[in-house]
Amino acid sequence: MATAASRSFTLSAGQRRLGAKLAGAVLSLAFVLVFNFFLFRVLPGDPAKNLTRNRLVPAEQVQVLRESFGLGKPLPQQFASYVGDTLTGDLGISYKFRRPVSEIIGERIWPTVLLLGVSTMLSTLIGLWIGIRGAWRRGSVFDRVSLGASLALYAMPEFWLGILLLIAFGVGVGGFPGLFPTGGLSSPNTELASLAGILDVARHLFLPCLTLTLAYIAEYALVMRSSLLDELGEDYLTTARAKGLRDALVLRRHAVPNALLPTTTLIFLNLGFIVSGAITIETVYSWPGLGLLSYEALRTPDYPLLQGVFLLFSAAVIVANVIADLLYAYLDPRVRTG
């Protein structure tokens, strides 16, 4: 009976934790929704006049543009319409493209998912391997070199690293020619469904993917190295060695799984921030994803498009935070029982 009661209590505690996290996520999204509306209303410039490309257009035509996009309504009425439309999935019509915002965002998601998916996978695998090897062989040549390189890459702004790689491998330096395209998703008149099209996309993807991978390899390597070094000093590893376990088994079965906890959380948290961080990389390489779309919308400014992209980015960060928190509680029993 005590065991059954204990299981019931544990289940209800887990449900309460899940409910609290989901409620917090909903409240965060509600705040973002309100903040999203008013944030872009304080941007300088009149969107209706910007749509005319600042030409000498009669005030009557500017007023027609303002009313056609709902900008002539009182602010509370605009806000009520914005909230109601967003909750029904209608993100409005883009000022610049004159098309539904949801349709434009849908077209730009795939390039961003491709870029972030490949770079996240590579940076995670390589960064964890560097951190584990460096911590296990602390003080070795590999550890010193990898630690110095990781610190240097971690300190570099992503856009600056991207510009350097673009000049070196895209434009070319001195007698060294450029090897990769300097922008875009593919070459003109390329059939993406063919093998040649896939290889062409891979060539265009190389430099932006390399930039994001190098930027996040450093972070994962440093966190994993630090976490594993903390674990290597624990008493349970000394006990495992005293029982006759080989060092390789101690590392693989005991030290690394426990050291992965903070790194796993960091990876999931970064999934949300990488989406917004891709703005600079996609702008540098003219990669036609959500990041470049945000830059284009900001130049107009295109309120509906900015609001839609910002809402998507914010939702990605909130969802990634919830997943990271729940995953950490699943991996670490101390969090569930705390």
Side-chain angles (χ1 to χ4, degrees):
M1 294 297 292
T3 303
S6 175
R7 289 177 178 173
S8 176
F9 174 79
T10 303
L11 180 61
S12 62
Q15 289 176 341
R16 288 197 301 270
R17 180 181 180 84
L18 176 60
K21 294 302 176 184
L22 293 179
V26 171
L27 289 176
S28 298
L29 283 173
F31 172 78
V32 168
L33 192 65
V34 176
F35 183 73
N36 197 15
F37 175 81
F38 291 101
L39 173 65
F40 298 110
R41 293 307 190 277
V42 300
L43 292 176
D46 183 353
K49 292 187 68 67
N50 290 333
L51 289 172
T52 66
R53 302 294 188 269
N54 294 319
R55 293 191 294 265
L56 295 178
V57 176
E60 293 79 7
Q61 294 187 18
V62 175
Q63 183 62 28
V64 169
L65 279 174
R66 188 176 289 111
E67 292 178 356
S68 64
F69 286 105
L71 297 173
K73 300 178 182 178
L75 197 61
Q77 189 174 348
Q78 291 186 41
F79 176 71
S81 299
Y82 163 70
V83 173
D85 292 342
T86 302
L87 293 178
T88 58
D90 183 5
L91 300 179
I93 303 298
S94 168
Y95 297 165
K96 179 178 180 180
F97 298 99
R98 307 295 178 92
R99 295 167 55 202
V101 171
S102 56
E103 181 180 310
I104 299 172
I105 291 178
E107 294 173 353
R108 298 292 189 100
I109 284 181
W110 182 81
T112 297
V113 170
L114 176 64
L115 172 60
L116 299 185
V118 175
S119 63
T120 299
M121 181 180 63
L122 292 176
S123 60
T124 300
L125 295 177
I126 299 174
L128 293 182
W129 178 80
I130 291 175
I132 293 172
R133 184 179 177 87
W136 191 248
R137 300 185 178 183
R138 183 179 184 181
S140 64
V141 175
F142 177 86
D143 181 41
R144 293 196 298 270
V145 172
S146 63
L147 180 60
S150 297
L151 290 172
L153 288 173
Y154 186 69
M156 287 185 186
E158 294 175 5
F159 74 91
W160 187 73
L161 176 61
I163 292 174
L164 292 182
L165 294 176
L166 182 64
I167 294 174
F169 298 104
V171 179
V173 177
F176 187 78
L179 301 176
F180 298 96
T182 58
L185 176 67
S186 61
S187 301
N189 302 322
T190 300
E191 180 60 43
L192 298 181
S194 63
L195 177 61
I198 295 175
L199 294 176
D200 185 65
V201 171
R203 290 185 67 248
H204 285 77
L205 177 66
F206 181 82
L207 287 181
C209 182
L210 177 63
T211 305
L212 275 179
T213 300
L214 290 176
Y216 284 93
I217 273 180
E219 185 174 5
Y220 297 152
L222 291 172
V223 173
M224 188 64 198
R225 179 183 183 275
S226 176
S227 180
L228 186 56
L229 286 176
D230 290 340
E231 291 296 326
L232 292 178
E234 296 294 330
D235 294 336
Y236 73 91
L237 293 182
T238 304
T239 304
R241 292 191 183 94
K243 291 181 177 180
L245 290 180
R246 293 183 291 110
D247 283 348
L249 290 178
V250 172
L251 175 67
R252 185 172 66 251
R253 293 183 181 179
H254 298 283
V256 170
N258 288 322
L260 276 173
L261 289 175
T263 311
T264 302
T265 306
L266 177 65
I267 291 170
F268 274 89
L269 289 176
N270 277 343
L271 286 178
F273 290 105
I274 289 174
V275 174
S276 55
I279 295 177
T280 55
I281 300 302
E282 291 188 4
T283 303
V284 168
Y285 291 103
S286 299
W287 184 258
L290 295 174
L292 183 59
L293 183 64
S294 303
Y295 174 74
E296 294 171 349
L298 192 60
R299 293 182 62 184
T300 303
D302 191 336
Y303 287 164
L305 190 53
L306 282 172
Q307 289 172 166
V309 174
F310 184 80
L311 184 63
L312 179 62
F313 288 167
S314 302
V317 174
I318 292 172
V319 171
N321 272 270
V322 172
I323 294 176
D325 201 358
L326 295 177
L327 181 64
Y328 194 86
Y330 173 77
L331 295 175
D332 193 346
R334 295 170 297 181
V335 177
R336 296 198 299 269
T337 58

